[in-house]
């Protein structure tokens, strides 16, 4: 059975109708930090599994609700997620070691506001950063990722452009 995933990050207290429309058609929503406000999480479509981590702008209430790291397996794919992870080949301190120790097949982070997907052969892991869905930051286009997990495979990956940062 295929599990449909929406990967978002860096909402910075902002979520709009267009983003919510894309989130309706998935099984799980993953947020890679800098949520900004628990109101963003409350606005997510009901009945979806939500996995999230806190980011560097998130206050104590968010940090008490979500962990700094998520490590789990879904549909045969081992996933590791945190907010500040760096990027291949220059990961944040300790991240590359943690990817190797967890044997993650998919490493997810946010923070940079730059949408990027890359296979890192040095850790045998797919790196994903969905960019930023919020309006705060230097990015021009707000983005998210949609993909599916099935039988140990990551498939049907696509980047969704949500509109320019300055507009709705």
């Amino acid at each position: 059975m295929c599990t449909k995933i929406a990967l978002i990050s860096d909402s910075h207290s902002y979520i709009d109708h267009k983003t919510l429309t894309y989130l309706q058609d998935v099984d799980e929503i993953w947020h890679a930090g800098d949520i900004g406000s628990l109101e963003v999480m409350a606005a997510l479509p009901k009945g979806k599994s939500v996995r999230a981590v806190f980011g560097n702008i998130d206050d104590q209430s968010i940090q008490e609700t979500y962990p700094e790291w998520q490590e789990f397996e879904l549909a045969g794919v081992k996933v590791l997620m945190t907010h500040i992870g760096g990027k291949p080949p220059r990961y944040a301190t300790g991240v590359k070691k943690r990817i190797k120790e967890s044997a993650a097949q998919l490493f997810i982070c946010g923070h940079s506001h730059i949408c990027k997907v890359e296979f890192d052969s040095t850790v045998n892991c797919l790196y994903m950063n969905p960019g930023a869905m919020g309006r705060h930051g230097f990015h021009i286009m707000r983005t998210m990722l949609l993909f599916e997990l099935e039988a140990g495979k990551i498939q049907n990956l696509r980047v969704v452009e949500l509109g320019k940062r300055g507009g709705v």
Side-chain angles (χ1 to χ4, degrees):
M1 187 175 114
C2 165
T3 305
K4 295 179 181 180
I5 309 295
L7 177 58
I8 56 178
S9 188
D10 295 274
S11 50
H12 292 261
S13 303
Y14 177 79
I15 191 164
D16 65 348
H17 177 72
K18 186 172 187 178
T19 304
L20 290 170
T21 300
Y22 283 103
L23 300 180
Q24 294 293 336
D25 297 329
V26 301
D27 301 307
E28 294 206 5
I29 301 166
W30 301 351
H31 196 305
D34 276 3
I35 297 164
S37 167
L38 287 173
E39 292 173 12
V40 167
M41 303 308 277
L44 297 177
K46 304 301 178 234
K48 310 290 181 187
S49 294
V50 175
R51 300 175 197 256
V53 294
F54 71 78
N56 58 296
I57 67 133
D58 291 323
D59 65 14
Q60 186 174 350
S61 66
I62 294 171
Q63 291 180 31
E64 289 172 353
T65 306
Y66 300 103
E68 181 178 8
W69 290 87
Q70 286 269 11
E71 187 173 335
F72 57 93
E73 185 170 330
L74 182 65
V77 177
K78 290 183 180 180
V79 181
L80 183 64
M81 179 168 61
T82 194
H83 181 61
I84 300 177
K87 64 180 181 179
R90 291 183 284 282
Y91 293 97
T93 304
V95 170
K96 192 170 189 173
K97 180 180 180 205
R98 187 150 183 179
I99 293 170
K100 287 179 179 178
E101 287 174 352
S102 69
Q105 297 160 279
L106 175 58
F107 173 67
I108 294 168
C109 65
H111 188 62
S112 72
H113 293 217
I114 299 168
C115 185
K116 183 176 180 72
V117 176
E118 176 182 343
F119 184 76
D120 183 353
S121 60
T122 68
V123 289
N124 198 31
C125 184
L126 184 65
Y127 166 92
M128 282 188 191
N129 184 323
M133 63 173 259
R135 295 188 295 182
H136 295 288
F138 63 88
H139 57 287
I140 295 169
M141 183 62 66
R142 299 180 308 111
T143 56
M144 65 183 285
L145 295 173
L146 297 174
F147 58 96
E148 297 171 357
L149 300 179
E150 185 173 24
K153 294 186 179 176
I154 303 158
Q155 56 195 21
N156 298 322
L157 172 67
R158 67 184 178 124
V159 175
V160 177
E161 292 184 343
L162 299 166
K164 295 200 174 193
R165 175 178 52 87
V168 178

